[in-house]
Every structure is written in C-alpha cells, then in structure tokens.
Amino acid sequence: MGPQHRIVAIYLVIGLLWIFLSDAVVDLIFFKKELITSAQSIKGSLFIAVTGILLFLLIRRDINHITKLNSKLVESYEQTIAGWVRVMDLRHKEAKDHTERVTSMTLEMAKLAGNFHDAELKHIERGAFLHDIGKIGIPDEILIKSGKLTEQEWAEMITHPQIAHDILSEIDFLAPSLNIPYCHHEKWDGSGYPQGLKGDEIPLEARIFAVIDVWDALIHPRVYKKAWPEERVLDQIRQGSGQHFDPRMVKIFLDNYSHLKGYAEISRGLA
C-alpha cells in the first residue's frame, strides 16, 4: 500500500469512528434539542481540527521518510562520483590529491566571488570534483605522455571537455554541475576550447575554476614538467589576467591567496 492510500485509509477509519462514537456520546449526554445542535456544531469544529492535525502528522511522517530515502539516494550518487574520480586518479598518478585541492579551493573562492545559494554551491562542488571526467575517454599514451604532444595528440586531448559534456548532460542529477567540466578550458579572450567562449559568455563557476586549476597544475609536478616556484606561478596568473582569466577572478584569487591556499593544504591533509 502506497503512502497516499495509507493516509486516506487512516483518515476514513478515524472519520467514521469519530462520527459514530461522537454521535453516541452526544445522544447520551444531551437531551434538549438546542443543546444537541450546539454540541453537533462543536463536534464538527473539533472533527476538522483533529483530522487536520492527523493529516499533518501523517503527511509529515511520509515526507520525512521520503526525504531520508532521497538523502540515501544522493549519498549513493556521491559515492559513484567519488568512484569515477578514483578511476581518474589511478590513471593520472602525477596529479595526486589534485581533485580534492581544486574542489576545496574552488568552493571557497565561489563564496567570495559570487552570490551563490547553497544548491548552486553544491553543483559547483560536484562540477569541480568532476572537472576532468572527460579524460576517461583519452588514451593513456596521450594522457600521461612525458613529452610534448603532437598536433594530432593535442587535438584528441582537447576533446575531453566535450566528452565530459556528453557524459554528464545525460545524467539529470549531474547536468546542473556541467559548467566546470565543459567550460573550464575556455579563455577570457575567446582563444580557449571547446566552444571559444569569450568574457562573460563563460559561466562564472568555470572562470573561477580556471584560475584555481592553472595554479594547481603549475605549482605541482606533472609527468611533463617540474613544479614551478610559487612566485613564478603567481606571476603567470597575473600575466594571464584579461587574456586567459577573468580579471576580477584574478584579483579575488590574489587578494585572498593565503586564505585559499590554506584550503588546498587542508584538503591534502585529509585526502
């Protein structure tokens, strides 16, 4: 029996019992016609109040139950997402803890850079966590190549945002988190990929993430490069303002650098 059927059944049973028993009580207690009429009016008001409270309690109980089931479902989705990312980490060992760092920093910078509500921040968190999910479709010999990519290899590498779009857009739960995986390689001057978006055409969360992602890629070693000194990395970020990056995002990042960097260190410690 579904919750709606159970609620209706309980309501009908209580209603019929109320009518039968309350009529019997009124007949036993009151003898004058005017008193019976008043008692019936009071009885009707009490019936409305009692059944209203009963319906509220029954519906609230079922809503709470559904909410708990939804929470468990969301938790299972989150575990699936974490599994996808672990697969990527196993393939991309030189980026150890990269996902956790950039997710923590992006979420904190989003709070500084925009008026996102809680649901939007959750989408941003998932998007940052899944930013490289499209690389699941890139061959290992390209993904972890230690030397410079050929033109053909690079052409294949830059398909990963489109692969992410094709994967995530088909999943209703993750479609609202698509902006970062799909657009984080777009550039402020329009020279990025895959769509060649320019300026404010690029979603805000992707503009935020782009700064964080480049910082993390430069300041940590990769198979194709050594880690850059911190000041050189920050200079690169400054030089990219207005070209690669949204100037406002660069300013927010640099003005809050110590604060944001702390989130990277915390996430690394917990990973």
Side-chain angles (χ1 to χ4, degrees):
M1 180 184 292
Q4 69 275 22
H5 300 109
R6 184 171 61 253
I7 290 173
V8 171
I10 293 173
Y11 182 82
L12 288 175
V13 170
I14 296 296
L16 290 172
L17 287 174
W18 177 278
I19 292 170
F20 176 77
L21 294 176
S22 61
D23 282 346
V25 169
V26 169
D27 289 339
L28 286 174
I29 296 176
F30 301 101
F31 300 98
K32 294 182 179 181
K33 182 178 180 180
E34 59 272 16
L35 293 177
I36 292 176
T37 301
S38 298
Q40 290 290 358
S41 297
I42 294 171
K43 185 189 76 169
S45 299
L46 286 174
F47 175 77
I48 293 173
V50 170
T51 54
I53 293 171
L54 176 65
L55 282 174
F56 171 77
L57 293 174
L58 290 172
I59 292 171
R60 186 178 67 175
R61 186 190 66 175
D62 283 320
I63 288 176
N64 288 340
H65 178 64
I66 292 170
T67 300
K68 289 179 181 178
L69 290 177
N70 285 339
S71 296
K72 290 181 180 179
L73 184 61
V74 169
E75 183 180 348
S76 70
Y77 285 155
E78 301 284 7
Q79 290 172 350
T80 300
I81 292 170
W84 286 357
V85 173
R86 279 195 292 271
V87 169
M88 290 304 307
D89 286 346
L90 287 172
R91 296 184 67 211
H92 212 190
K93 292 183 175 62
E94 79 281 9
K96 186 176 186 300
D97 303 334
H98 165 72
T99 299
E100 289 80 5
R101 286 194 304 269
V102 296
T103 299
S104 296
M105 292 179 72
T106 299
L107 194 58
E108 186 60 21
M109 186 165 161
K111 296 174 184 177
L112 299 171
N115 295 318
F116 297 106
H117 55 66
D118 289 346
E120 289 173 326
L121 288 172
K122 192 63 182 178
H123 294 319
I124 290 171
E125 181 181 14
R126 292 186 185 122
F129 204 67
L130 289 168
H131 71 279
D132 270 345
I133 192 64
K135 288 182 178 178
I136 202 166
I138 304 300
D140 284 348
E141 57 267 23
I142 296 176
L143 188 63
I144 57 176
K145 184 177 179 179
S146 58
K148 185 178 179 179
L149 298 180
T150 66
E151 288 187 11
Q152 183 177 354
E153 289 170 337
W154 178 246
E156 189 163 359
M157 173 64 88
I158 64 175
T159 64
H160 75 269
Q162 185 63 50
I163 295 172
H165 175 275
D166 295 343
I167 293 172
L168 301 180
S169 62
E170 297 297 320
I171 304 172
D172 290 343
F173 177 70
L174 295 176
S177 304
L178 184 58
N179 281 340
I180 289 177
Y182 190 32
C183 302
H184 70 285
H185 285 296
E186 302 290 352
K187 295 184 179 180
W188 185 254
D189 64 4
S191 64
Y193 62 88
Q195 302 176 83
L197 301 179
K198 184 177 182 180
D200 289 336
E201 294 174 349
I202 306 169
L204 177 56
E205 55 265 50
R207 285 180 267 146
I208 293 169
F209 183 83
V211 179
I212 302 291
D213 190 40
V214 170
W215 172 85
D216 194 82
L218 295 178
I219 207 165
H220 294 94
R222 297 291 178 92
V223 293
Y224 53 84
K225 59 170 278 296
K226 295 180 179 180
W228 286 19
E230 184 173 47
E231 193 51 46
R232 183 185 175 192
V233 174
L234 296 179
D235 283 341
Q236 184 72 16
I237 298 293
R238 291 187 190 97
Q239 291 171 19
S241 178
Q243 298 174 22
H244 189 151
F245 309 118
D246 178 346
R248 188 170 77 89
M249 296 306 107
V250 171
K251 186 176 188 308
I252 292 172
F253 177 79
L254 295 176
D255 287 349
N256 298 275
Y257 178 64
S258 296
H259 174 71
L260 294 169
K261 183 182 175 183
Y263 276 82
E265 293 170 351
I266 290 171
S267 67
R268 181 171 56 205
L270 295 177

